[in-house]
């Protein structure tokens, strides 16, 4: 069977990090003595070289679907074998130089398969999605709470407010042309007064009040009045600052 | 594992030889068969290679150590071509290792915990950002 041998050999010696290297004894195919070879494990491929300094591997064992077993050998201590399911397949008999090396190699080789790597990747992918989903939903929950509080404040003082900017859904930008009178009473003890950050019952501080935007005329009006008629522009103008502040506040609140 | 019938195009000067083959992608190997046989006639290890779209239905695999040689494959449709390119790109052990390291680092960043610890595999060299082992013989 043909193989892209040159490229396979290149993979063995290229600078991608090997998973394990070391000397092992390998039982020969024709000459059944054990020969000392330099082994390099990369991914699911076990390459072996005549010498540590050799430029090209003498051979390679594809480890996919293999099992690694300890085995008894008349001549060698610390012997193990690489076996495959297929009846026709060769059994590779190996021996390490000491107990620790043998255990380390057996462990490394038995987990060298592509399938094993794929399994771990899928599991981490799933975990990351979970973590990201949790972050998103807790972000949404705290935004919802924040908006609810603002809306409560808003309801109380609507009759007194002078609004010169648009009020967006759920987000009332209190600076920049929107002035609120103090709400007479606010449930759960939060007072959203300007410049004042009071503590809520559950210990979470409401976001700091954004600084007043200064315009040329020194007035507090928004530079873009509702009369402009371009709501997307307005959304951008308000939205950007709110978004930035939102992120800043959330980052200070989230404890990982 | 996906088995599809592709046409392999071997540029053999002065003519191009076009052969119909059954191609199977199994882990990081691309096996190819003559359509009526059980045993593959050949295989390509898909590490250290680059996959590119050559045409609507044609993609190529080029190995980094032999960049002049393109293995060309013609698919039956554009969709099939896109699928194959995606599959081949993801078929490398090194590609998966990179993904794993990314996920591990990201989960650790977001949660402060190493996700591999619960499985007792944190120390395996294959999962390290930098395995720290010296490169192979030069």
């Amino acid at each position: 069977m043909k193989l892209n041998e040159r490229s396979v050999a290149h993979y063995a010696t290229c600078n991608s990090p090997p998973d394990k290297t070391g000397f092992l004894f390998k039982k020969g195919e024709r000459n059944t003595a054990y020969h000392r070879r330099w082994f390099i494990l990369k991914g699911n491929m076990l390459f072996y070289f005549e010498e540590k300094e050799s430029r090209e591997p003498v051979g390679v064992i594809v480890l996919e679907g293999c099992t690694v077993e300890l085995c008894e050998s008349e001549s060698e201590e610390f012997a193990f074998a690489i076996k495959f399911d297929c009846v026709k397949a060769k059994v590779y008999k190996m021996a390490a130089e000491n107990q620790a090396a043998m255990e380390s190699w057996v462990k490394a080789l038995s987990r060298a398969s592509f399938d094993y790597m794929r399994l771990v990747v899928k599991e981490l992918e799933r975990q990351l999605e979970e973590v990201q989903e949790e972050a998103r939903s807790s972000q949404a929950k705290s935004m919802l709470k924040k908006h609810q509080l603002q809306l409560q404040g808003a309801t109380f003082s609507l009759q007194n407010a002078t609004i010169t900017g648009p009020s967006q859904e759920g987000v009332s930008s209190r600076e920049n042309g929107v002035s609120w009178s103090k709400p007479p009473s606010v449930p759960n003890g939060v007072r959203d007064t300007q410049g004042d950050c009071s503590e809520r019952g559950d210990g979470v501080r409401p976001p700091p009040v954004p600084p007043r935007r200064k315009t040329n005329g020194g007035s507090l009006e928004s530079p873009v009045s509702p009369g402009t008629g371009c709501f997307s522009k307005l959304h951008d103008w308000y939205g950007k600052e709110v978004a930035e502040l939102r992120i800043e506040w959330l980052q200070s609140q989230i404890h990982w | 594992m996906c088995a599809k019938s592709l046409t392999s195009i071997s540029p053999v000067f002065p003519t191009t030889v076009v052969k119909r083959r059954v191609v199977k992608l199994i882990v990081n190997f691309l096996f190819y068969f003559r359509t009526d046989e059980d045993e593959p006639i050949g295989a390509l290890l898909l590490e250290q290679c680059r996959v590119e779209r050559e045409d609507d239905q044609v993609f190529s695999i080029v190995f980094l150590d032999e960049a002049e040689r393109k293995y060309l494959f013609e698919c039956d449709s554009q969709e099939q071509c896109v699928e194959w390119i995606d599959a081949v790109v993801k078929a490398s052990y090194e590609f998966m290792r990179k993904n794993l390291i990314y996920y591990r680092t990201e989960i650790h960043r977001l949660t402060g915990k190493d996700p591999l610890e619960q499985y007792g595999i944190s120390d395996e060299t294959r999962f390290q950002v930098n395995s720290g082992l010296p490169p192979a013989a030069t």
Side-chain angles (χ1 to χ4, degrees), chain A residues 2 4 11 19 108 111 123, chain B residues 43 94 97 119 124-126:
Chain A
K2 279 205 297 197
N4 55 329
Y11 176 50
D19 296 318
R111 292 180 186 169
E123 172 57 22
Chain B
E94 299 301 321
R97 193 205 302 269
Y119 304 112
E124 286 187 24
T125 43
R126 58 180 62 90

Side-chain angles (χ1 to χ4, degrees), chain A residues 148-150 152-153 156 182-193 196-206:
Chain A
Q148 282 170 344
L149 284 168
Q150 286 178 335
Q152 282 168 350
F156 276 105
K182 247 189 200 176
S185 72
V186 181
N188 69 29
V190 180
R191 192 165 289 180
D192 247 354
T193 52
D196 187 299
C197 285
S198 43
E199 285 248 53
R200 281 179 25 198
D202 62 5
V204 177
R205 299 174 67 84

Side-chain angles (χ1 to χ4, degrees), chain A residues 137-200:
Chain A
S137 80
S138 75
Q139 199 180 48
K141 277 182 200 153
S142 51
M143 283 325 299
L144 194 62
K145 265 195 166 162
K146 180 188 168 199
H147 299 166
Q148 282 170 344
L149 284 168
Q150 286 178 335
L151 278 170
Q152 282 168 350
T155 320
F156 276 105
S157 54
L158 255 179
Q159 60 247 59
N160 300 318
T162 316
I163 304 167
T164 56
S167 58
Q168 293 169 256
E169 190 203 6
V171 178
S172 43
S173 178
R174 293 175 17 240
E175 299 304 305
N176 312 315
V178 178
S179 62
W180 302 95
S181 67
K182 247 189 200 176
S185 72
V186 181
N188 69 29
V190 180
R191 192 165 289 180
D192 247 354
T193 52
Q194 295 170 1
D196 187 299
C197 285
S198 43
E199 285 248 53
R200 281 179 25 198

Side-chain angles (χ1 to χ4, degrees), chain A residues 2-4 7 10-11 17-19 40 43-44 52 54-55 108 111 114 116-117 120 123-125 127 256, chain B residues 28 41-45 63 65 91 93-94 96-97 100 103 107 110 115 118-119 124-126 131 136-138:
Chain A
K2 279 205 297 197
L3 181 66
N4 55 329
S7 302
H10 171 252
Y11 176 50
D19 296 318
I40 292 179
N44 56 354
K52 189 174 175 185
S54 304
R55 284 189 174 195
R111 292 180 186 169
F114 187 96
Y116 172 69
M117 175 61 87
V120 182
E123 172 57 22
L124 291 199
E125 197 174 23
Q127 277 191 36
W256 292 112
Chain B
N28 50 350
I41 37 176
L44 296 176
L45 172 68
F63 292 93
D65 68 310
Y93 192 100
E94 299 301 321
M96 279 207 306
R97 193 205 302 269
L100 183 140
Y103 292 143
I107 292 170
L110 294 174
Q118 58 180 298
Y119 304 112
E124 286 187 24
T125 43
R126 58 180 62 90
S131 81
T138 44

Side-chain angles (χ1 to χ4, degrees), chain B residues 65-79:
Chain B
D65 68 310
E66 209 181 358
E68 341 69 57
R69 178 161 186 189
K70 278 192 186 183
Y71 293 83
L72 294 164
F73 296 90
E74 184 176 13
C75 308
D76 290 335
S77 69
Q78 279 195 48
E79 290 80 24

